[in-house]
Protein backbone atom coordinates (compact mmCIF):
# COMPACT_ATOMS: atom_id res chain seq x y z
CA UNK A 1 0.00 0.00 0.00
CA UNK A 2 1.23 3.48 -0.85
CA UNK A 3 2.03 5.80 2.00
CA UNK A 4 -0.04 8.95 1.61
CA UNK A 5 1.26 11.23 4.29
CA UNK A 6 -0.77 14.11 5.56
CA UNK A 7 -0.18 17.14 3.36
CA UNK A 8 1.61 19.76 5.35
CA UNK A 9 3.96 22.71 5.45
CA UNK A 10 6.87 22.23 7.81
CA UNK A 11 5.47 19.34 9.77
CA UNK A 12 6.57 15.85 10.57
CA UNK A 13 5.54 12.73 8.71
CA UNK A 14 5.12 9.46 10.50
CA UNK A 15 6.33 7.27 7.63
CA UNK A 16 8.66 7.58 4.65
CA UNK A 17 7.12 8.59 1.33
CA UNK A 18 6.79 6.02 -1.42
CA UNK A 19 9.42 6.90 -4.05
CA UNK A 20 6.96 6.33 -6.90
CA UNK A 21 4.97 9.36 -5.66
CA UNK A 22 8.01 11.59 -6.17
CA UNK A 23 8.54 10.17 -9.63
CA UNK A 24 4.91 10.85 -10.49
CA UNK A 25 5.21 14.39 -9.12
CA UNK A 26 8.36 15.19 -11.12
CA UNK A 27 6.99 13.68 -14.34
CA UNK A 28 3.74 15.58 -14.06
CA UNK A 29 5.09 19.00 -12.98
CA UNK A 30 8.34 19.38 -14.90
CA UNK A 31 6.82 19.77 -18.39
CA UNK A 32 4.40 22.43 -17.14
CA UNK A 33 6.96 24.78 -15.61
CA UNK A 34 8.22 27.92 -17.36
CA UNK A 35 11.87 28.08 -18.45
CA UNK A 36 12.86 30.52 -15.66
CA UNK A 37 11.79 28.14 -12.90
CA UNK A 38 14.58 26.14 -11.30
CA UNK A 39 13.44 22.58 -10.59
CA UNK A 40 15.91 19.94 -9.40
CA UNK A 41 16.04 16.65 -7.53
CA UNK A 42 18.25 15.89 -4.52
CA UNK A 43 19.51 19.46 -4.31
CA UNK A 44 22.04 20.03 -1.54
CA UNK A 45 20.67 22.47 1.06
CA UNK A 46 23.63 23.04 3.42
CA UNK A 47 25.05 25.87 1.30
CA UNK A 48 21.63 27.54 1.23
CA UNK A 49 21.62 27.96 5.01
CA UNK A 50 23.62 30.19 7.34
CA UNK A 51 24.48 27.24 9.63
CA UNK A 52 25.85 25.32 6.62
CA UNK A 53 24.79 21.84 7.73
CA UNK A 54 22.35 19.22 6.49
CA UNK A 55 21.42 16.94 3.61
CA UNK A 56 19.52 17.39 0.33
CA UNK A 57 15.93 18.21 -0.59
CA UNK A 58 14.15 15.39 -2.42
CA UNK A 59 12.76 18.02 -4.84
CA UNK A 60 13.77 21.68 -4.92
CA UNK A 61 12.13 24.53 -6.83
CA UNK A 62 12.60 28.25 -7.36
CA UNK A 63 9.34 29.25 -9.05
CA UNK A 64 9.52 32.20 -11.43
CA UNK A 65 5.97 33.42 -10.74
CA UNK A 66 2.79 32.86 -8.71
CA UNK A 67 1.49 30.64 -11.49
CA UNK A 68 4.56 28.37 -11.26
CA UNK A 69 4.18 28.28 -7.49
CA UNK A 70 0.54 27.31 -7.88
CA UNK A 71 1.43 24.45 -10.26
CA UNK A 72 3.93 23.09 -7.75
CA UNK A 73 1.80 23.22 -4.63
CA UNK A 74 -1.46 22.07 -6.20
CA UNK A 75 0.25 18.98 -7.61
CA UNK A 76 2.08 18.35 -4.33
CA UNK A 77 -1.24 18.54 -2.53
CA UNK A 78 -2.89 16.15 -5.00
CA UNK A 79 -0.19 13.58 -4.24
CA UNK A 80 -0.12 14.42 -0.51
CA UNK A 81 3.56 15.35 -0.65
CA UNK A 82 4.95 17.71 2.00
CA UNK A 83 5.85 21.27 0.96
CA UNK A 84 8.45 23.28 2.84
CA UNK A 85 9.49 26.88 2.33
CA UNK A 86 13.13 27.86 2.50
CA UNK A 87 13.90 31.55 2.92
CA UNK A 88 17.49 32.64 3.47
CA UNK A 89 17.97 29.51 5.58
CA UNK A 90 19.02 31.67 8.50
CA UNK A 91 16.75 30.32 11.19
CA UNK A 92 16.87 26.58 10.72
CA UNK A 93 18.85 23.42 11.06
CA UNK A 94 18.58 20.96 8.18
CA UNK A 95 18.76 17.32 9.35
CA UNK A 96 21.80 15.38 8.09
CA UNK A 97 19.44 13.01 6.27
CA UNK A 98 17.96 15.92 4.31
CA UNK A 99 14.29 16.55 3.67
CA UNK A 100 11.87 14.17 2.00
CA UNK A 101 9.75 17.03 0.69
CA UNK A 102 9.28 19.67 -1.97
CA UNK A 103 11.42 22.62 -0.87
CA UNK A 104 10.42 25.97 -2.36
CA UNK A 105 12.70 28.97 -2.40
CA UNK A 106 11.95 32.50 -3.67
CA UNK A 107 15.37 32.91 -5.25
CA UNK A 108 13.97 34.19 -8.56
CA UNK A 109 14.31 37.96 -9.10
CA UNK A 110 10.52 38.32 -9.50
CA UNK A 111 10.11 37.77 -5.74
CA UNK A 112 12.71 40.32 -4.72
CA UNK A 113 10.95 43.57 -5.57
CA UNK A 114 10.71 46.66 -3.38
CA UNK A 115 8.16 49.12 -4.73
CA UNK A 116 7.17 52.33 -2.89
CA UNK A 117 3.48 53.09 -3.56
CA UNK A 118 1.65 56.37 -4.10
CA UNK A 119 -0.31 55.76 -0.84
CA UNK A 120 2.89 55.81 1.24
CA UNK A 121 3.22 52.06 1.67
CA UNK A 122 5.93 49.91 0.04
CA UNK A 123 5.54 46.45 -1.51
CA UNK A 124 8.23 43.96 -0.50
CA UNK A 125 8.39 40.58 -2.24
CA UNK A 126 8.83 37.42 -0.15
CA UNK A 127 12.29 36.75 -1.61
CA UNK A 128 13.69 40.20 -0.82
CA UNK A 129 16.56 40.08 1.66
CA UNK A 130 15.99 42.22 4.73
CA UNK A 131 19.39 43.82 4.26
CA UNK A 132 18.41 44.86 0.72
CA UNK A 133 15.03 46.06 1.97
CA UNK A 134 16.85 48.39 4.37
CA UNK A 135 19.18 49.66 1.64
CA UNK A 136 16.29 50.37 -0.72
CA UNK A 137 14.26 52.00 2.06
CA UNK A 138 17.20 54.34 2.79
CA UNK A 139 17.33 55.36 -0.87
CA UNK A 140 13.58 56.04 -0.84
CA UNK A 141 13.87 57.96 2.47
CA UNK A 142 11.48 55.54 4.19
CA UNK A 143 12.06 55.28 7.93
CA UNK A 144 11.06 52.46 10.28
CA UNK A 145 12.81 49.41 8.80
CA UNK A 146 16.23 50.00 10.39
CA UNK A 147 15.90 47.21 13.00
CA UNK A 148 15.69 44.63 10.19
CA UNK A 149 19.16 45.42 8.85
CA UNK A 150 21.06 42.83 10.85
CA UNK A 151 18.61 39.95 10.46
CA UNK A 152 20.06 37.61 7.83
CA UNK A 153 16.66 36.56 6.46
CA UNK A 154 14.28 37.48 3.68
CA UNK A 155 10.81 39.01 3.86
CA UNK A 156 8.91 35.69 3.60
CA UNK A 157 10.86 34.08 6.42
CA UNK A 158 10.65 37.22 8.55
CA UNK A 159 6.86 37.26 8.15
CA UNK A 160 6.48 33.60 9.01
CA UNK A 161 8.74 33.87 12.06
CA UNK A 162 7.73 37.44 12.94
CA UNK A 163 11.49 37.98 13.10
CA UNK A 164 12.76 40.66 15.42
CA UNK A 165 15.76 42.61 16.63
CA UNK A 166 16.59 45.81 18.50
CA UNK A 167 13.20 45.95 20.20
CA UNK A 168 11.17 45.71 17.00
CA UNK A 169 9.59 42.86 15.11
CA UNK A 170 8.47 42.35 11.51
CA UNK A 171 4.75 42.84 12.05
CA UNK A 172 5.42 46.31 13.50
CA UNK A 173 5.91 47.47 9.91
CA UNK A 174 3.35 45.27 8.11
CA UNK A 175 0.09 46.63 6.75
CA UNK A 176 -1.13 43.75 4.58
CA UNK A 177 0.26 40.30 3.70
CA UNK A 178 -0.42 38.54 0.40
CA UNK A 179 -0.34 34.78 0.70
CA UNK A 180 -1.14 31.68 -1.30
CA UNK A 181 -3.23 28.99 0.33
CA UNK A 182 -2.30 25.37 -0.24
CA UNK A 183 -5.19 25.21 -2.72
CA UNK A 184 -3.36 27.77 -4.84
CA UNK A 185 -5.65 30.74 -4.05
CA UNK A 186 -4.12 34.15 -3.46
CA UNK A 187 -5.47 36.17 -0.50
CA UNK A 188 -4.68 39.56 0.98
CA UNK A 189 -4.89 39.78 4.77
CA UNK A 190 -4.66 42.95 6.82
CA UNK A 191 -2.40 42.74 9.85
CA UNK A 192 -5.47 43.10 12.09
CA UNK A 193 -6.87 39.86 10.62
CA UNK A 194 -3.75 37.88 11.43
CA UNK A 195 -2.67 36.08 14.60
CA UNK A 196 0.80 37.24 15.41
CA UNK A 197 2.97 36.69 18.47
CA UNK A 198 6.63 36.59 19.48
CA UNK A 199 8.41 34.70 16.66
CA UNK A 200 5.10 33.37 15.37
CA UNK A 201 2.48 34.05 12.66
CA UNK A 202 -0.34 31.52 12.72
CA UNK A 203 -1.64 32.07 9.16
CA UNK A 204 1.77 31.37 7.60
CA UNK A 205 1.94 27.92 9.12
CA UNK A 206 -0.75 26.89 6.64
CA UNK A 207 -0.03 29.18 3.69
CA UNK A 208 2.84 30.73 1.77
CA UNK A 209 3.69 34.45 2.08
CA UNK A 210 4.15 36.04 -1.36
CA UNK A 211 5.06 39.48 -0.02
CA UNK A 212 3.62 42.34 1.97
CA UNK A 213 2.68 45.99 1.85
CA UNK A 214 4.83 47.60 4.53
CA UNK A 215 4.15 50.84 6.33
CA UNK A 216 7.07 53.19 6.95
CA UNK A 217 7.03 55.21 10.17
CA UNK A 218 7.88 58.41 8.28
CA UNK A 219 9.54 59.87 5.22
CA UNK A 220 12.82 61.53 6.18
CA UNK A 221 16.29 62.37 4.91
CA UNK A 222 18.31 59.26 4.02
CA UNK A 223 21.18 60.35 6.32
CA UNK A 224 18.95 60.17 9.40
CA UNK A 225 18.08 56.53 8.61
CA UNK A 226 21.72 55.70 7.88
CA UNK A 227 22.73 56.93 11.32
CA UNK A 228 20.24 54.66 13.09
CA UNK A 229 21.33 51.67 11.02
CA UNK A 230 24.99 52.35 11.89
CA UNK A 231 24.11 52.34 15.60
CA UNK A 232 22.32 48.98 15.33
CA UNK A 233 25.11 47.54 13.21
CA UNK A 234 27.70 48.50 15.81
CA UNK A 235 25.67 46.92 18.62
CA UNK A 236 25.19 43.72 16.62
CA UNK A 237 28.84 43.37 15.61
CA UNK A 238 29.90 43.80 19.25
CA UNK A 239 27.36 41.40 20.74
CA UNK A 240 26.91 38.61 18.15
CA UNK A 241 29.32 36.06 16.65
CA UNK A 242 30.64 36.11 13.08
CA UNK A 243 30.93 32.33 12.54
CA UNK A 244 28.16 30.42 10.70
CA UNK A 245 25.09 30.09 12.94
CA UNK A 246 21.30 30.12 12.81
CA UNK A 247 20.99 33.24 14.98
CA UNK A 248 19.55 32.78 18.45
CA UNK A 249 18.92 29.09 18.97
CA UNK A 250 16.35 29.39 21.81
CA UNK A 251 13.41 31.70 22.39
CA UNK A 252 13.83 34.08 25.28
CA UNK A 253 11.98 32.72 28.32
CA UNK A 254 9.50 35.14 29.89
CA UNK A 255 11.30 37.85 31.81
CA UNK A 256 14.87 36.91 30.92
CA UNK A 257 17.27 36.31 28.07
CA UNK A 258 18.20 32.80 26.96
CA UNK A 259 21.74 34.05 26.24
CA UNK A 260 22.10 35.30 29.79
CA UNK A 261 20.91 32.06 31.44
CA UNK A 262 23.05 29.83 29.20
CA UNK A 263 26.02 32.07 29.97
CA UNK A 264 25.29 31.95 33.73
CA UNK A 265 25.08 28.15 33.52
CA UNK A 266 28.72 28.28 32.41
CA UNK A 267 28.14 26.88 28.93
CA UNK A 268 30.05 29.32 26.70
CA UNK A 269 32.56 27.36 24.62
CA UNK A 270 30.79 24.02 25.31
CA UNK A 271 31.06 21.73 22.26
CA UNK A 272 29.62 18.65 20.63
CA UNK A 273 31.77 17.84 17.62
CA UNK A 274 32.21 21.09 15.70
CA UNK A 275 29.07 22.70 17.14
CA UNK A 276 29.99 25.22 19.84
CA UNK A 277 28.14 27.54 22.22
CA UNK A 278 29.45 30.92 21.04
CA UNK A 279 31.87 32.61 23.42
CA UNK A 280 30.48 35.97 22.21
CA UNK A 281 26.75 35.34 22.77
CA UNK A 282 25.64 32.16 24.54
CA UNK A 283 22.31 31.87 22.67
CA UNK A 284 24.17 31.23 19.41
CA UNK A 285 25.46 27.80 18.41
CA UNK A 286 28.25 28.31 15.88
CA UNK A 287 29.60 25.89 13.32
CA UNK A 288 33.35 25.73 13.91
CA UNK A 289 33.99 24.04 10.58
CA UNK A 290 32.46 20.63 10.02
CA UNK A 291 29.51 20.48 12.40
CA UNK A 292 26.67 18.11 11.54
CA UNK A 293 23.07 18.56 12.49
CA UNK A 294 23.55 15.63 14.91
CA UNK A 295 26.25 17.72 16.67
CA UNK A 296 23.89 20.69 16.90
CA UNK A 297 21.00 18.58 18.20
CA UNK A 298 23.38 17.01 20.75
CA UNK A 299 24.47 20.44 21.92
CA UNK A 300 20.88 21.73 22.12
CA UNK A 301 20.09 18.73 24.34
CA UNK A 302 23.07 19.39 26.57
CA UNK A 303 22.26 23.10 26.96
CA UNK A 304 18.63 22.38 27.80
CA UNK A 305 19.58 19.77 30.40
CA UNK A 306 22.16 21.98 32.11
CA UNK A 307 20.00 25.11 32.10
CA UNK A 308 17.11 23.08 33.53
CA UNK A 309 19.31 21.72 36.29
CA UNK A 310 21.09 25.03 37.06
CA UNK A 311 18.16 27.42 36.67
CA UNK A 312 14.98 25.33 36.54
CA UNK A 313 14.15 26.86 33.14
CA UNK A 314 12.89 24.90 30.11
CA UNK A 315 14.41 26.48 27.02
CA UNK A 316 12.42 26.15 23.83
CA UNK A 317 14.23 26.18 20.45
CA UNK A 318 13.58 29.22 18.30
CA UNK A 319 15.19 27.83 15.16
CA UNK A 320 13.29 25.22 13.17
CA UNK A 321 14.49 21.66 12.79
CA UNK A 322 13.62 21.53 9.13
CA UNK A 323 10.92 19.00 8.23
CA UNK A 324 10.97 17.54 11.72
CA UNK A 325 9.75 18.39 15.19
CA UNK A 326 12.24 19.20 17.95
CA UNK A 327 10.02 17.26 20.35
CA UNK A 328 10.89 14.07 18.46
CA UNK A 329 14.64 14.48 18.90
CA UNK A 330 15.09 16.20 22.27
N1 LIG B 1 23.73 38.24 27.75
C1 LIG B 1 24.63 37.62 28.56
N2 LIG B 1 25.43 36.64 28.02
C2 LIG B 1 25.35 36.28 26.71
C3 LIG B 1 24.41 36.92 25.90
C4 LIG B 1 23.60 37.91 26.44
O1 LIG B 1 24.73 37.90 29.74
O2 LIG B 1 26.11 35.40 26.30
C5 LIG B 1 22.91 39.33 28.32
C6 LIG B 1 23.25 40.67 27.67
O3 LIG B 1 24.34 41.27 28.31
C7 LIG B 1 21.97 41.44 27.83
C8 LIG B 1 20.88 40.37 27.76
O4 LIG B 1 21.54 39.12 27.99
O5 LIG B 1 21.91 42.04 29.08
C9 LIG B 1 20.17 40.37 26.41
O6 LIG B 1 21.12 40.17 25.36
P1 LIG B 1 20.90 40.79 23.89
O7 LIG B 1 20.76 42.27 23.98
O8 LIG B 1 21.98 40.24 23.03
O9 LIG B 1 19.49 40.28 23.46
P2 LIG B 1 18.90 38.82 23.37
O10 LIG B 1 17.64 38.81 24.16
O11 LIG B 1 19.91 37.78 23.72
C10 LIG B 1 17.43 39.32 21.28
C11 LIG B 1 16.99 38.51 20.10
C12 LIG B 1 18.03 38.57 19.01
C13 LIG B 1 18.30 40.01 18.61
C14 LIG B 1 18.78 40.74 19.87
C15 LIG B 1 19.10 42.20 19.63
C16 LIG B 1 15.71 36.51 20.84
C17 LIG B 1 15.78 35.07 21.16
N3 LIG B 1 16.87 37.10 20.50
O12 LIG B 1 18.58 38.68 21.82
O13 LIG B 1 17.48 37.89 17.88
O14 LIG B 1 19.26 40.10 17.58
O15 LIG B 1 17.73 40.65 20.87
O16 LIG B 1 17.94 42.92 19.46
O17 LIG B 1 14.62 37.11 20.89
C18 LIG B 1 17.34 35.85 16.67
O18 LIG B 1 16.12 35.91 16.84
O19 LIG B 1 17.89 34.94 16.01
C19 LIG B 1 18.19 36.86 17.27
C20 LIG B 1 19.52 36.81 17.21
Amino acid sequence: MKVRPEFSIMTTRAQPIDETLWQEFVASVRPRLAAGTKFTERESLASKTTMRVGGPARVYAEPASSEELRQLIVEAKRLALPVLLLGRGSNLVIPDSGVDGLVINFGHANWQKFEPQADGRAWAGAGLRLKNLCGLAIKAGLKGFEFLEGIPGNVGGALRMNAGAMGGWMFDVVDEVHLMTMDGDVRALKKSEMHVAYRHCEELHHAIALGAFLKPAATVESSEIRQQIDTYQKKRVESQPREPSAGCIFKNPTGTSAGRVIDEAGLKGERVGDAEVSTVHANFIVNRGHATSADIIGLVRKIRAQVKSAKGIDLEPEVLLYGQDWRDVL
Side-chain angles (χ1 to χ4, degrees), residues 72-325:
L72 289 160
I73 63 170
V74 168
E75 187 61 3
K77 183 170 183 185
R78 186 181 73 79
L79 293 169
L81 294 169
V83 177
L84 297 91
L85 272 293
L86 181 68
R88 285 273 291 128
S90 57
N91 200 51
L92 45 84
V93 175
I94 311 262
D96 295 323
S97 56
V99 190
D100 202 17
L102 163 65
V103 171
I104 292 176
N105 175 270
F106 288 124
H108 195 282
N110 283 345
W111 300 101
Q112 292 167 28
K113 294 180 179 157
F114 180 77
E115 297 169 334
Q117 311 287 301
D119 63 9
R121 301 182 304 170
W123 170 259
L128 180 67
R129 291 182 183 193
L130 298 174
K131 197 174 186 57
N132 294 351
L133 191 165
C134 286
L136 293 162
I138 291 178
K139 275 193 196 150
L142 300 179
K143 190 176 158 69
F145 307 115
E146 301 80 69
F147 68 98
L148 296 170
E149 179 276 338
I151 303 177
N154 66 12
V155 168
L159 289 167
R160 184 181 187 277
M161 292 301 300
N162 191 17
M166 309 296 164
W169 66 31
M170 186 67 191
F171 271 85
D172 290 344
V173 295
V174 166
D175 179 52
E176 181 178 304
V177 174
H178 288 203
L179 52 79
M180 187 177 283
T181 69
M182 301 319 281
D183 292 317
D185 300 325
V186 175
R187 300 227 174 100
L189 287 182
K190 284 284 184 192
K191 175 164 91 171
S192 55
E193 298 175 274
M194 303 184 75
H195 300 84
V196 172
Y198 172 66
R199 300 294 188 265
H200 182 80
C201 171
E202 187 59 33
E203 285 71 18
L204 296 178
H205 280 248
H206 317 290
I208 299 172
L210 306 176
F213 283 109
L214 307 179
K215 241 185 173 160
T219 307
V220 296
E221 286 299 317
S222 296
S223 56
E224 191 184 316
I225 307 174
R226 183 75 256 169
Q227 231 171 21
Q228 182 63 69
I229 286 188
D230 288 347
T231 309
Y232 286 157
Q233 221 163 21
K234 188 163 178 290
K235 184 178 174 212
R236 181 169 46 82
V237 168
E238 283 167 2
S239 64
Q240 297 186 0
R242 297 288 185 83
E243 298 99 328
S245 78
C248 284
I249 204 95
F250 297 102
K251 292 181 184 173
N252 279 342
T254 312
T256 184
S257 150
R260 186 196 299 275
V261 296
I262 298 166
D263 191 355
E264 286 172 0
L267 286 162
K268 274 187 171 167
E270 189 73 27
R271 277 176 93 140
V272 172
D274 259 1
E276 182 180 281
V277 176
S278 166
T279 51
V280 178
H281 191 302
N283 197 13
F284 284 65
I285 289 181
V286 294
N287 180 352
R288 293 301 303 264
H290 300 98
T292 61
S293 76
D295 292 341
I296 294 161
I297 293 165
L299 191 52
V300 164
R301 238 186 247 134
K302 206 175 203 180
I303 297 167
R304 290 184 85 233
Q306 294 200 22
V307 166
K308 178 74 178 170
S309 120
K311 302 267 176 186
I313 294 172
D314 288 306
L315 289 177
E316 193 190 327
E318 188 213 307
V319 302
L320 303 171
L321 182 60
Y322 206 54
Q324 296 187 11
D325 193 321

